[in-house]
Amino acid sequence: MSSAKAKMWEKKMRHQPTSVQYSSCSTQNGGDTPVSGGSCNDGPPGINQSTKRPKNPHQQTGWACGHQKDGGGYAKDMPKSITGGAFARARAAEVSTMLKAVNRTTGRCHVFGSLPKHMRRRAMSHNTKRLPRRLRDRAIRMREKSLQAGSKKETAKNKSRKARRRHGNMLLEFNRRQRKNVWLETHIWHAKRFIMVKKWGYCLGDRPTNKCYRPCYRAMNSHCLLQDHSYYCCIELQGEESTLLASLSRLTSKEAGPTFAAAMTLSGQRQGSVVVYRAGHYPLQPLGPVTFLWRPQIQGSTIRQLWIWAHPTIKKDLLPELQTVCQCCEAVVPSVNLVWTPAEVVPTLECEQKPNETPEAEQISGTKRKKTCKDVTGPPTKKIIGDGTRSPTTPITWKSSSTGIIINDLTMEMVRFRLIGPQSLTVLAETLETAADCDEINKSKPSSLWWSEQCKDESKRSLHQEQSDIYHLLKGIHLTGELPPGTVLGLTVEDPRLTLPTKKVVALPHVKQAQELEEKSRELMLKGVPKHCCQSYLWERSARDNVTENKISEQELNRRRSDMLVPGSRLIPTPLQSRIPILLIHQPGKQVGCEMRSWGAGWDLLLPKGWGMAFWVPLVYRGVRIGGLNMSLKHSQIKGVPHFPHDYPDCPSGVVFQEEQEAELLDMFKRRPPAKRNNYIKHGCLAPFSCPWQQLSEEWELIEMESGEKKDGQIKTTTESDNVTEEELTSHTAITGTKSLSCVSVLRNRKSLRLLSGWCRPTTSKGQRLCRFGDEQPLNHSAVMSFLTAHRMSLVWVRLSTLSKGKPEPHAMVCAPTAEDLQLLYKGPGSSGPQESPHGDHFKSRIKHKKKGLRKAATSSLSSERTESEMSHLLSASEPKPSTSKEPKPSQSSSDLIFGLWPDPLPRVISHCSRLTLGWATQGDFSLSVGCGEALGFVCVAGLLKTLLNQPIEHRGMLLLRNPTSLHYRFVKLTIEV
């Protein structure tokens, strides 16, 4: 037998019992008494089961081998007589061994393994009906035993792609995935084209997968950019006007700008914006910026309606604050049998087994999943419209019996699209058409649709006609920024899917217009939309629900299009279900500063829920660009306004964002090898991933307290970064060691900002002109002290423009120039700034000692373990050596050291470098609108006033900017835009 056959024979026989041999310990003549030594322990006497099989099958002996050529296997001297009992026991052992071999299959324990090879089929492993009938029951029992005894149960097979792509299965899967993070109605469209991120409990599009930064900027600058802002939360307040204003006045202050009681916003003609604070804590503890809109007052009613739109991170703080000031603590539990609640909308993927079901109906694991629910009377699976993460028993309404105010949470109850650019109104004019009046036949018929009921009222029809005329006048206005900021217009439009073009087109403005319309358009630009035309049926919940429920499906529209004689023509007559109430809200562009006025203006489109994609696709077909969260940040950066929550360090949401950003950047920094990291210690950058505003303000406040009433409050810093000692590293642990509640506030007082902006003498940078204010207070020591007394521990929002080349980066340091630095400006505007001398890395040696200590500790522990194991039989357990016990101490003290970063607590932030630190930049990039590098950030008011007081008039407002990865300072011009 060849070696291959021998191996195959060994593999086949490895699970077989060993051969039974007639033992040598048996009697020589077959009797009961053995002739020579030994006795058998296992089995019947005289029988020996060999425990070791010979390697060569030809060398086996005994009855299992048969007759050999050399006479092996049998004794040469045959016994003359045998004993019947011993002989029977030997035969019984052979029979039992043979039965075991027959019953046990070769290889694994599969039933079909006992079949001949020509009868075996691959499908037998999962389909028992492929087996012969005599083996089916045995296969089912073995399968059940393996499932019960197995530690890992077999999972059900995934459905095929064809089954997963069916509409019903896809709907179930989408509804399941929406239970943790809310999906917008345009989520599927964005997921195919954008990089999605999970933020604030939503799945949002961050940036497109293709490179389109410059095209998006060109769209904002010359055409239109479209964004989905439906993730913003809406809170509705209902009650008496005086009661509402009295309650909301505790959250705002007139010093920071117009409040909820502004005349233009109170009438409902304009949308307002305000920064909300905790009740009675102005100017400390702000919550964040919100926008609000009043509903125009209805004749004969004293109840007013107010919508407050806030960022999702503000809602968790704003809603309890509103409940406190309005005294709305009585929660109204919603009814479970609502039509559009998530309780009915969200279907379960696994249908529960009914009590009368038999065990045979249970699904066998390993087979394809099938629907076991055959309830035809049950409601069909519906798409989630609104918030799918909210529990059906979660209250969304609160009322007060004392004040009569009702608070409703309208989050995800409406869709909000934002169009940015000068041609936003042109895109809306091409997409939306006002609704036509109902026919006389339809008016007489009773209908459940809201529009047919509205057409029966003559006053409502006349209001709709006036709104349509104003909308046609808006089509003649070429630029969006020509209208008054915050203008509101209510409309009822047709379904935009009916006029969807066959291919994408670029919406262009209509130049030709009659002279009469031009005069009316000019009057509209001056006075705005009349008060009664700002009314909309979108304010009514019944109208919103009716429109959502009676929306025509895409399948029905496609069927009607297929019945048209001319492909691509409009459906005539239009169905009554295609009338949608909307609100058009003008978004003002840049309103601060002296340049690029009204840049970035646009329109917000408010729709009922469920109509998002019906309006999104027609807008996309008009040639607009789509932007994500990244373009919202760039839009705010070009406008020069703070972006929430990035640029609100005194708000709870801003603090959380800064901590998350620091952790993310630190994680990216640690993933790089130490040799490829930037050594921020040598660059003199204490906080490259965060901005310690609290420590900066406290240090400047400490300097002010030490200076006292000195007129010349110049601060001379003689501490060099190369001579850092242990005392300097721990001298300010009282400031940075404990992270108490932040007392830093951002200066938002309009009067103080205007005064501070005049002291900075804006502006002589590229693309800007000098702004002259009225009679401003001169800058002197008394004015500075009075200003600091009113605004201690305050930061101010500034805009920094580079005089020459240079691209600012986030977390760049804003420093005060010295008198020698200002002399460099006389060489020319393009002169380079000063250089920072490299700092010494005093923690590099500690990290090296730490690594050496860890290696020594590892080697000493290994050697000690070896010696202890060798001498354990001689020595008892002894105490550890002093060297091993003292070695981890320095490693524990320096365990938090990271190569290239300063450990906590930080030393003095102000005087760490050769120039005094005033603040940091939160945003920075090359500005395509100005043509130079621009940065936005905050500086400490105390440090800024000290710097301005010591600068000459011609160079007042000149500061230095240095990136975290550079030692080169750049001259920048500071501007405070009001």
Side-chain angles (χ1 to χ4, degrees), residues 953-972:
I953 299 179
E954 61 272 12
H955 292 154
R956 187 169 291 172
M958 289 293 176
L959 300 179
L960 295 175
L961 186 72
R962 184 164 69 91
N963 290 332
T965 58
S966 175
L967 293 173
H968 192 82
Y969 288 95
R970 300 286 184 181
F971 283 107
V972 292

Side-chain angles (χ1 to χ4, degrees), residues 610-811:
W611 285 86
M613 287 303 298
F615 280 77
W616 183 267
V617 175
L619 288 172
V620 172
Y621 267 66
R622 264 65 184 191
V624 300
R625 276 277 175 181
I626 311 299
L629 297 177
N630 188 27
M631 288 313 300
S632 297
L633 179 62
K634 293 298 180 182
H635 178 246
S636 302
Q637 182 178 346
I638 297 174
K639 287 173 61 177
V641 296
H643 185 74
F644 190 86
H646 300 64
D647 304 322
Y648 284 81
D650 54 343
C651 297
S653 303
V655 175
V656 172
F657 172 79
Q658 183 175 351
E659 293 175 354
E660 294 176 352
Q661 185 186 40
E662 181 182 2
E664 181 181 357
L665 294 177
L666 183 60
D667 183 59
M668 292 176 61
F669 181 78
K670 288 181 178 179
R671 286 201 298 264
R672 298 178 65 89
K676 304 298 181 183
R677 298 176 186 172
N678 288 320
N679 195 333
Y680 293 105
I681 298 178
K682 290 187 176 181
H683 290 162
C685 183
L686 293 177
F689 307 136
S690 63
C691 302
W693 304 112
Q694 181 75 14
Q695 182 178 352
L696 178 72
S697 302
E698 288 178 354
E699 289 183 6
W700 278 110
E701 184 70 17
L702 184 62
I703 291 175
E704 287 299 320
M705 293 174 60
E706 292 175 355
S707 63
E709 298 180 354
K710 294 182 181 180
K711 296 183 179 180
D712 299 332
Q714 296 182 355
I715 305 171
K716 297 181 180 180
T717 60
T718 58
T719 305
E720 296 293 338
S721 59
D722 295 338
N723 301 325
V724 181
T725 60
E726 296 294 333
E727 296 179 0
E728 182 186 357
L729 295 177
T730 58
S731 59
H732 292 273
T733 54
I735 297 178
T736 61
T738 57
K739 294 184 178 180
S740 58
L741 184 63
S742 177
C743 300
V744 179
S745 63
V746 177
L747 182 61
R748 298 186 177 93
N749 191 316
R750 293 284 184 93
K751 185 177 179 181
S752 301
L753 286 174
R754 192 175 292 107
L755 178 61
L756 192 59
S757 178
W759 285 344
C760 295
R761 295 187 60 81
T763 71
T764 57
S765 61
K766 178 188 285 188
Q768 298 175 342
R769 62 180 184 273
L770 183 63
C771 298
R772 296 185 179 275
F773 293 90
D775 297 333
E776 60 182 28
Q777 185 178 357
L779 180 61
N780 49 34
H781 181 72
S782 60
V784 169
M785 294 305 296
S786 61
F787 194 94
L788 291 178
T789 304
H791 306 287
R792 289 188 177 275
M793 301 278 293
S794 296
L795 305 174
V796 61
W797 174 258
V798 297
R799 184 170 188 163
L800 306 168
S801 302
T802 57
L803 300 184
S804 59
K805 61 182 180 180
K807 177 185 174 183
E809 297 178 359
H811 305 109

